[in-house]
Amino acid sequence: MVSLPEELQAREAAARQRVEELQAEAAELAIRLERARADLSRLEITRETVMEVLADLSAADVAPEVEAHDAPEPRETPAPHGIGVMAVPPWREGLVAGVLPDVYRDIVEIVADAPGPLQAKQIVPRIGLEATTAKIEGTRGKLKRLVERGWLDEDTPGRFTLARHDGDAGHVNSR
């Protein structure tokens, strides 16, 4: 017959071994998860880069601007879709944030609602992303693109505000 203390020691040793096995599995899963996140991040950056290159190529093929007196009344432009289309169009009079792809529109609206300049690391959680280096850098790239296209300003490096245009009281409207 086995004594109670011996039985408890045997069960404790078995439980300890199971904990160690599970910790090893968790560590392996954490490594696999980090690799998968890195792969996802690279793919997102690659897709964004390809879209930017295609947009730049299609912008070079666009016909010259229409004379100001021939221009139609400002109206909302539907959001562009498809390859070869500039995903983030340059801001112009009458254009609203609703024409931007969802994540860019969210960024512009968050910056517009902020009481002061925002940094990428402050925007990332507000657009529903985990505050990892990859997500912050990806968002910073989007912010820079919005600055290049006239939607945002970066008066201080790394701090973004809504761009002000002459006679513009609120081009952020998403409708």
Side-chain angles (χ1 to χ4, degrees):
M1 177 172 201
V2 177
S3 72
L4 183 59
E6 290 172 342
E7 179 64 23
L8 288 175
Q9 282 181 334
R11 289 184 181 195
E12 182 181 339
R16 183 172 288 111
Q17 182 176 351
R18 182 69 181 140
V19 166
E20 290 172 1
E21 290 170 357
L22 290 173
Q23 285 177 328
E25 285 180 41
E28 176 61 29
L29 283 175
I31 290 168
R32 289 174 51 199
L33 177 61
E34 191 55 38
R35 285 181 188 148
R37 283 184 176 154
D39 288 344
L40 176 61
S41 177
R42 282 193 303 275
L43 288 168
E44 287 174 337
I45 291 168
T46 300
R47 180 186 44 78
E48 290 173 2
T49 302
V50 167
M51 292 302 294
E52 191 173 316
V53 168
L54 289 173
D56 290 346
L57 290 174
S58 71
D61 295 338
V62 173
E65 291 290 321
V66 177
E67 291 289 327
H69 62 277
D70 294 337
E73 287 294 315
R75 60 180 173 79
E76 293 182 23
T77 306
H81 297 286
I83 295 178
V85 176
M86 185 174 291
V88 179
W91 183 89
R92 64 182 182 275
E93 189 68 37
L95 205 57
V96 296
V99 304
L100 297 171
D102 292 344
V103 70
Y104 288 91
R105 181 178 57 241
D106 293 345
I107 290 170
V108 169
E109 290 174 353
I110 287 167
V111 171
D113 292 342
L118 291 177
Q119 295 176 303
K121 66 182 178 182
Q122 295 170 303
I123 294 171
V124 167
R126 295 179 187 180
I127 58 175
L129 298 176
E130 187 177 345
T132 62
T133 302
K135 299 299 181 190
I136 293 169
E137 290 305 315
T139 301
R140 183 173 288 112
K142 289 175 179 65
L143 288 160
K144 297 281 189 178
R145 189 168 301 117
L146 288 165
V147 169
E148 290 169 8
R149 306 271 166 82
W151 292 91
L152 298 179
D153 284 333
E154 185 181 16
D155 296 329
T156 306
R159 301 185 64 79
F160 300 89
T161 59
L162 192 61
R164 296 320 264 150
H165 301 95
D166 293 335
D168 176 36
H171 66 275
V172 174
N173 299 333
S174 59
R175 297 187 228 358

Short mmCIF file of all heavy atoms in Angstrom, two decimals, residues 30-80:
data_model
loop_
_atom_site.label_atom_id
_atom_site.label_comp_id
_atom_site.label_asym_id
_atom_site.label_seq_id
_atom_site.Cartn_x
_atom_site.Cartn_y
_atom_site.Cartn_z
N ALA A 30 4.22 30.80 -29.31
CA ALA A 30 4.56 32.22 -29.31
C ALA A 30 5.55 32.54 -30.43
O ALA A 30 5.42 33.56 -31.11
CB ALA A 30 5.13 32.64 -27.95
N ILE A 31 6.51 31.66 -30.64
CA ILE A 31 7.49 31.85 -31.72
C ILE A 31 6.78 31.78 -33.07
O ILE A 31 6.99 32.62 -33.95
CB ILE A 31 8.61 30.80 -31.62
CG1 ILE A 31 9.48 31.08 -30.39
CG2 ILE A 31 9.45 30.77 -32.89
CD1 ILE A 31 10.44 29.95 -30.04
N ARG A 32 5.90 30.79 -33.24
CA ARG A 32 5.17 30.65 -34.50
C ARG A 32 4.27 31.85 -34.73
O ARG A 32 4.14 32.34 -35.87
CB ARG A 32 4.37 29.35 -34.49
CG ARG A 32 5.26 28.11 -34.60
CD ARG A 32 4.51 26.81 -34.46
NE ARG A 32 3.35 26.72 -35.31
CZ ARG A 32 2.35 25.86 -35.11
NH1 ARG A 32 2.39 25.02 -34.10
NH2 ARG A 32 1.32 25.83 -35.94
N LEU A 33 3.61 32.34 -33.67
CA LEU A 33 2.75 33.51 -33.80
C LEU A 33 3.54 34.73 -34.22
O LEU A 33 3.13 35.49 -35.10
CB LEU A 33 2.02 33.77 -32.47
CG LEU A 33 1.13 35.02 -32.42
CD1 LEU A 33 0.02 34.93 -33.45
CD2 LEU A 33 0.55 35.18 -31.02
N GLU A 34 4.71 34.94 -33.63
CA GLU A 34 5.54 36.10 -33.98
C GLU A 34 5.99 36.01 -35.44
O GLU A 34 5.99 37.02 -36.15
CB GLU A 34 6.74 36.21 -33.05
CG GLU A 34 7.49 37.51 -33.18
CD GLU A 34 6.61 38.74 -32.99
OE1 GLU A 34 5.71 38.73 -32.14
OE2 GLU A 34 6.83 39.72 -33.74
N ARG A 35 6.34 34.81 -35.89
CA ARG A 35 6.73 34.62 -37.30
C ARG A 35 5.55 34.93 -38.22
O ARG A 35 5.71 35.58 -39.26
CB ARG A 35 7.21 33.20 -37.54
CG ARG A 35 8.58 32.93 -36.99
CD ARG A 35 9.01 31.49 -37.31
NE ARG A 35 10.25 31.18 -36.62
CZ ARG A 35 10.57 29.99 -36.17
NH1 ARG A 35 9.75 28.96 -36.34
NH2 ARG A 35 11.72 29.79 -35.57
N ALA A 36 4.36 34.46 -37.86
CA ALA A 36 3.17 34.71 -38.68
C ALA A 36 2.86 36.21 -38.72
O ALA A 36 2.49 36.75 -39.76
CB ALA A 36 1.98 33.93 -38.14
N ARG A 37 3.00 36.88 -37.57
CA ARG A 37 2.78 38.34 -37.55
C ARG A 37 3.79 39.06 -38.43
O ARG A 37 3.45 40.02 -39.13
CB ARG A 37 2.88 38.86 -36.11
CG ARG A 37 1.66 38.58 -35.29
CD ARG A 37 1.78 39.20 -33.91
NE ARG A 37 0.55 38.99 -33.16
CZ ARG A 37 0.48 38.94 -31.85
NH1 ARG A 37 1.59 39.09 -31.13
NH2 ARG A 37 -0.66 38.75 -31.24
N ALA A 38 5.05 38.63 -38.39
CA ALA A 38 6.08 39.25 -39.23
C ALA A 38 5.77 39.03 -40.70
O ALA A 38 5.90 39.95 -41.52
CB ALA A 38 7.46 38.69 -38.87
N ASP A 39 5.33 37.81 -41.06
CA ASP A 39 4.94 37.53 -42.44
C ASP A 39 3.78 38.43 -42.87
O ASP A 39 3.79 39.00 -43.96
CB ASP A 39 4.53 36.06 -42.61
CG ASP A 39 5.71 35.11 -42.54
OD1 ASP A 39 6.87 35.56 -42.66
OD2 ASP A 39 5.47 33.89 -42.36
N LEU A 40 2.78 38.55 -42.01
CA LEU A 40 1.63 39.39 -42.31
C LEU A 40 2.06 40.84 -42.50
O LEU A 40 1.63 41.51 -43.45
CB LEU A 40 0.59 39.29 -41.19
CG LEU A 40 -0.63 40.20 -41.31
CD1 LEU A 40 -1.40 39.90 -42.58
CD2 LEU A 40 -1.52 40.05 -40.09
N SER A 41 2.91 41.33 -41.63
CA SER A 41 3.37 42.70 -41.72
C SER A 41 4.11 42.94 -43.04
O SER A 41 3.88 43.95 -43.72
CB SER A 41 4.29 43.03 -40.55
OG SER A 41 4.80 44.33 -40.68
N ARG A 42 4.99 42.01 -43.42
CA ARG A 42 5.71 42.15 -44.69
C ARG A 42 4.74 42.15 -45.86
O ARG A 42 4.89 42.94 -46.80
CB ARG A 42 6.74 41.03 -44.84
CG ARG A 42 8.00 41.25 -44.04
CD ARG A 42 9.12 40.30 -44.44
NE ARG A 42 8.77 38.89 -44.32
CZ ARG A 42 8.86 38.18 -43.20
NH1 ARG A 42 9.30 38.76 -42.10
NH2 ARG A 42 8.53 36.90 -43.18
N LEU A 43 3.73 41.28 -45.82
CA LEU A 43 2.75 41.24 -46.91
C LEU A 43 1.94 42.53 -46.99
O LEU A 43 1.67 43.04 -48.08
CB LEU A 43 1.83 40.03 -46.75
CG LEU A 43 2.48 38.68 -47.04
CD1 LEU A 43 1.58 37.55 -46.58
CD2 LEU A 43 2.81 38.55 -48.51
N GLU A 44 1.56 43.07 -45.83
CA GLU A 44 0.81 44.34 -45.82
C GLU A 44 1.65 45.46 -46.42
O GLU A 44 1.16 46.25 -47.23
CB GLU A 44 0.41 44.71 -44.38
CG GLU A 44 -0.70 43.85 -43.82
CD GLU A 44 -0.97 44.14 -42.35
OE1 GLU A 44 -0.07 44.67 -41.64
OE2 GLU A 44 -2.09 43.84 -41.89
N ILE A 45 2.91 45.54 -46.01
CA ILE A 45 3.79 46.58 -46.52
C ILE A 45 4.02 46.40 -48.02
O ILE A 45 3.99 47.37 -48.78
CB ILE A 45 5.12 46.59 -45.74
CG1 ILE A 45 4.88 47.07 -44.30
CG2 ILE A 45 6.17 47.47 -46.43
CD1 ILE A 45 6.04 46.84 -43.36
N THR A 46 4.20 45.16 -48.45
CA THR A 46 4.39 44.89 -49.87
C THR A 46 3.16 45.32 -50.67
O THR A 46 3.27 45.98 -51.71
CB THR A 46 4.68 43.39 -50.10
OG1 THR A 46 5.86 43.05 -49.39
CG2 THR A 46 4.85 43.08 -51.58
N ARG A 47 1.97 44.94 -50.19
CA ARG A 47 0.74 45.32 -50.88
C ARG A 47 0.61 46.83 -50.96
O ARG A 47 0.30 47.39 -52.01
CB ARG A 47 -0.49 44.72 -50.18
CG ARG A 47 -1.81 45.10 -50.86
CD ARG A 47 -3.02 44.64 -50.07
NE ARG A 47 -2.95 44.87 -48.65
CZ ARG A 47 -3.16 46.04 -48.05
NH1 ARG A 47 -3.43 47.10 -48.75
NH2 ARG A 47 -3.09 46.14 -46.74
N GLU A 48 0.86 47.53 -49.85
CA GLU A 48 0.77 48.99 -49.85
C GLU A 48 1.77 49.60 -50.82
O GLU A 48 1.45 50.55 -51.54
CB GLU A 48 1.00 49.53 -48.44
CG GLU A 48 -0.14 49.23 -47.49
CD GLU A 48 0.17 49.64 -46.06
OE1 GLU A 48 1.27 50.18 -45.80
OE2 GLU A 48 -0.69 49.40 -45.20
N THR A 49 2.99 49.05 -50.85
CA THR A 49 4.01 49.57 -51.76
C THR A 49 3.60 49.35 -53.21
O THR A 49 3.72 50.26 -54.04
CB THR A 49 5.37 48.90 -51.49
OG1 THR A 49 5.72 49.14 -50.12
CG2 THR A 49 6.45 49.45 -52.40
N VAL A 50 3.10 48.16 -53.52
CA VAL A 50 2.65 47.88 -54.88
C VAL A 50 1.51 48.82 -55.27
O VAL A 50 1.50 49.38 -56.37
CB VAL A 50 2.22 46.40 -55.03
CG1 VAL A 50 1.47 46.16 -56.32
CG2 VAL A 50 3.44 45.49 -54.94
N MET A 51 0.55 49.01 -54.38
CA MET A 51 -0.57 49.92 -54.67
C MET A 51 -0.07 51.34 -54.88
O MET A 51 -0.56 52.05 -55.76
CB MET A 51 -1.61 49.87 -53.54
CG MET A 51 -2.35 48.54 -53.43
SD MET A 51 -3.21 48.06 -54.94
CE MET A 51 -4.46 49.34 -55.00
N GLU A 52 0.91 51.76 -54.11
CA GLU A 52 1.46 53.10 -54.25
C GLU A 52 2.16 53.25 -55.60
O GLU A 52 1.98 54.25 -56.30
CB GLU A 52 2.43 53.38 -53.11
CG GLU A 52 2.86 54.81 -53.00
CD GLU A 52 3.69 55.05 -51.75
OE1 GLU A 52 3.31 54.56 -50.67
OE2 GLU A 52 4.72 55.73 -51.88
N VAL A 53 2.95 52.24 -55.97
CA VAL A 53 3.65 52.29 -57.26
C VAL A 53 2.65 52.31 -58.40
O VAL A 53 2.77 53.11 -59.34
CB VAL A 53 4.63 51.10 -57.40
CG1 VAL A 53 5.14 50.97 -58.83
CG2 VAL A 53 5.79 51.26 -56.42
N LEU A 54 1.64 51.44 -58.33
CA LEU A 54 0.61 51.42 -59.38
C LEU A 54 -0.14 52.75 -59.44
O LEU A 54 -0.44 53.24 -60.52
CB LEU A 54 -0.36 50.27 -59.14
CG LEU A 54 0.20 48.86 -59.38
CD1 LEU A 54 -0.81 47.81 -58.93
CD2 LEU A 54 0.59 48.67 -60.82
N ALA A 55 -0.43 53.32 -58.27
CA ALA A 55 -1.11 54.61 -58.24
C ALA A 55 -0.25 55.69 -58.86
O ALA A 55 -0.74 56.53 -59.63
CB ALA A 55 -1.48 54.98 -56.80
N ASP A 56 1.04 55.69 -58.54
CA ASP A 56 1.94 56.67 -59.13
C ASP A 56 2.02 56.51 -60.64
O ASP A 56 2.05 57.49 -61.38
CB ASP A 56 3.34 56.57 -58.52
CG ASP A 56 3.37 57.04 -57.07
OD1 ASP A 56 2.40 57.69 -56.63
OD2 ASP A 56 4.37 56.75 -56.38
N LEU A 57 2.06 55.26 -61.11
CA LEU A 57 2.10 55.00 -62.55
C LEU A 57 0.82 55.47 -63.23
O LEU A 57 0.86 56.05 -64.31
CB LEU A 57 2.33 53.51 -62.83
CG LEU A 57 3.72 52.98 -62.49
CD1 LEU A 57 3.75 51.47 -62.67
CD2 LEU A 57 4.78 53.65 -63.33
N SER A 58 -0.33 55.20 -62.59
CA SER A 58 -1.59 55.62 -63.20
C SER A 58 -1.74 57.14 -63.14
O SER A 58 -2.33 57.74 -64.03
CB SER A 58 -2.77 54.94 -62.53
OG SER A 58 -2.98 55.43 -61.23
N ALA A 59 -1.19 57.77 -62.11
CA ALA A 59 -1.27 59.23 -62.01
C ALA A 59 -0.46 59.88 -63.13
O ALA A 59 -0.83 60.94 -63.63
CB ALA A 59 -0.76 59.70 -60.66
N ALA A 60 0.62 59.24 -63.55
CA ALA A 60 1.43 59.78 -64.63
C ALA A 60 0.70 59.70 -65.96
O ALA A 60 0.98 60.47 -66.88
CB ALA A 60 2.76 59.03 -64.72
N ASP A 61 -0.26 58.78 -66.09
CA ASP A 61 -1.01 58.61 -67.32
C ASP A 61 -2.28 59.45 -67.37
O ASP A 61 -2.97 59.44 -68.39
CB ASP A 61 -1.40 57.14 -67.50
CG ASP A 61 -0.18 56.25 -67.69
OD1 ASP A 61 0.86 56.78 -68.11
OD2 ASP A 61 -0.29 55.04 -67.42
N VAL A 62 -2.62 60.14 -66.28
CA VAL A 62 -3.86 60.91 -66.20
C VAL A 62 -3.79 62.12 -67.15
O VAL A 62 -2.76 62.75 -67.31
CB VAL A 62 -4.12 61.39 -64.75
CG1 VAL A 62 -5.30 62.33 -64.67
CG2 VAL A 62 -4.33 60.19 -63.86
N ALA A 63 -4.93 62.46 -67.74
CA ALA A 63 -5.00 63.60 -68.65
C ALA A 63 -4.77 64.90 -67.89
O ALA A 63 -4.97 64.96 -66.68
CB ALA A 63 -6.37 63.62 -69.32
N PRO A 64 -4.38 65.98 -68.58
CA PRO A 64 -4.16 67.26 -67.91
C PRO A 64 -5.42 67.76 -67.21
O PRO A 64 -6.53 67.39 -67.58
CB PRO A 64 -3.76 68.21 -69.04
CG PRO A 64 -3.60 67.38 -70.26
CD PRO A 64 -4.13 66.02 -69.99
N GLU A 65 -5.21 68.58 -66.21
CA GLU A 65 -6.31 69.15 -65.44
C GLU A 65 -7.26 69.96 -66.32
O GLU A 65 -6.84 70.60 -67.28
CB GLU A 65 -5.78 70.07 -64.33
CG GLU A 65 -5.05 69.35 -63.22
CD GLU A 65 -5.98 68.53 -62.37
OE1 GLU A 65 -7.10 68.97 -62.07
OE2 GLU A 65 -5.56 67.40 -62.01
N VAL A 66 -8.55 69.95 -65.98
CA VAL A 66 -9.55 70.73 -66.69
C VAL A 66 -9.41 72.19 -66.25
O VAL A 66 -9.10 72.48 -65.10
CB VAL A 66 -10.97 70.20 -66.32
CG1 VAL A 66 -12.05 71.02 -66.96
CG2 VAL A 66 -11.08 68.74 -66.68
N GLU A 67 -9.63 73.12 -67.16
CA GLU A 67 -9.57 74.54 -66.81
C GLU A 67 -10.55 74.83 -65.68
O GLU A 67 -11.62 74.22 -65.61
CB GLU A 67 -9.95 75.39 -68.03
CG GLU A 67 -8.94 75.36 -69.13
CD GLU A 67 -7.67 76.11 -68.77
OE1 GLU A 67 -7.76 77.12 -68.04
OE2 GLU A 67 -6.60 75.67 -69.19
N ALA A 68 -10.22 75.77 -64.83
CA ALA A 68 -11.04 76.06 -63.66
C ALA A 68 -12.46 76.45 -64.06
O ALA A 68 -13.42 76.06 -63.41
CB ALA A 68 -10.41 77.19 -62.84
N HIS A 69 -12.64 77.23 -65.13
CA HIS A 69 -13.99 77.65 -65.52
C HIS A 69 -14.78 76.52 -66.16
O HIS A 69 -15.99 76.59 -66.26
CB HIS A 69 -13.93 78.87 -66.45
CG HIS A 69 -13.22 78.60 -67.74
ND1 HIS A 69 -11.86 78.67 -67.85
CD2 HIS A 69 -13.71 78.25 -68.97
CE1 HIS A 69 -11.51 78.37 -69.10
NE2 HIS A 69 -12.61 78.11 -69.80
N ASP A 70 -14.12 75.45 -66.60
CA ASP A 70 -14.80 74.30 -67.19
C ASP A 70 -15.09 73.20 -66.16
O ASP A 70 -15.74 72.22 -66.49
CB ASP A 70 -13.94 73.67 -68.31
CG ASP A 70 -13.78 74.61 -69.49
OD1 ASP A 70 -14.64 75.50 -69.65
OD2 ASP A 70 -12.80 74.45 -70.23
N ALA A 71 -14.58 73.36 -64.95
CA ALA A 71 -14.70 72.31 -63.94
C ALA A 71 -16.15 72.16 -63.50
O ALA A 71 -16.86 73.14 -63.33
CB ALA A 71 -13.83 72.63 -62.74
N PRO A 72 -16.61 70.92 -63.31
CA PRO A 72 -17.97 70.71 -62.81
C PRO A 72 -18.06 71.12 -61.34
O PRO A 72 -17.05 71.30 -60.68
CB PRO A 72 -18.18 69.20 -62.96
CG PRO A 72 -16.79 68.62 -62.98
CD PRO A 72 -15.91 69.68 -63.56
N GLU A 73 -19.28 71.24 -60.86
CA GLU A 73 -19.50 71.59 -59.46
C GLU A 73 -18.83 70.55 -58.56
O GLU A 73 -18.83 69.36 -58.88
CB GLU A 73 -21.01 71.60 -59.15
CG GLU A 73 -21.73 72.78 -59.75
CD GLU A 73 -21.29 74.08 -59.13
OE1 GLU A 73 -21.18 74.16 -57.89
OE2 GLU A 73 -21.02 75.02 -59.89
N PRO A 74 -18.24 70.98 -57.43
CA PRO A 74 -17.65 70.00 -56.52
C PRO A 74 -18.71 69.02 -56.05
O PRO A 74 -19.83 69.40 -55.75
CB PRO A 74 -17.14 70.85 -55.35
CG PRO A 74 -17.08 72.24 -55.86
CD PRO A 74 -18.07 72.34 -56.97
N ARG A 75 -18.34 67.78 -56.02
CA ARG A 75 -19.26 66.75 -55.54
C ARG A 75 -18.44 65.65 -54.90
O ARG A 75 -17.23 65.60 -55.06
CB ARG A 75 -20.09 66.17 -56.67
CG ARG A 75 -19.28 65.52 -57.76
CD ARG A 75 -20.19 64.96 -58.86
NE ARG A 75 -19.43 64.49 -59.97
CZ ARG A 75 -18.79 63.33 -60.03
NH1 ARG A 75 -18.81 62.53 -59.00
NH2 ARG A 75 -18.11 62.97 -61.10
N GLU A 76 -19.13 64.79 -54.20
CA GLU A 76 -18.44 63.67 -53.58
C GLU A 76 -18.04 62.69 -54.67
O GLU A 76 -18.81 62.39 -55.56
CB GLU A 76 -19.35 62.98 -52.58
CG GLU A 76 -19.66 63.85 -51.38
CD GLU A 76 -20.52 63.13 -50.38
OE1 GLU A 76 -20.52 61.88 -50.36
OE2 GLU A 76 -21.21 63.81 -49.62
N THR A 77 -16.82 62.23 -54.57
CA THR A 77 -16.32 61.24 -55.52
C THR A 77 -16.35 59.88 -54.83
O THR A 77 -15.93 59.78 -53.69
CB THR A 77 -14.86 61.58 -55.91
OG1 THR A 77 -14.84 62.94 -56.37
CG2 THR A 77 -14.35 60.65 -56.99
N PRO A 78 -16.85 58.85 -55.51
CA PRO A 78 -16.88 57.54 -54.86
C PRO A 78 -15.46 57.05 -54.58
O PRO A 78 -14.52 57.43 -55.27
CB PRO A 78 -17.58 56.64 -55.88
CG PRO A 78 -17.44 57.34 -57.19
CD PRO A 78 -17.35 58.81 -56.88
N ALA A 79 -15.35 56.20 -53.57
CA ALA A 79 -14.04 55.66 -53.22
C ALA A 79 -13.51 54.82 -54.36
O ALA A 79 -14.23 54.01 -54.93
CB ALA A 79 -14.14 54.81 -51.95
N PRO A 80 -12.25 55.02 -54.74
CA PRO A 80 -11.68 54.25 -55.84
C PRO A 80 -11.45 52.81 -55.43
O PRO A 80 -11.16 52.51 -54.29
CB PRO A 80 -10.36 54.97 -56.13
CG PRO A 80 -10.00 55.64 -54.86
CD PRO A 80 -11.31 55.98 -54.19
#
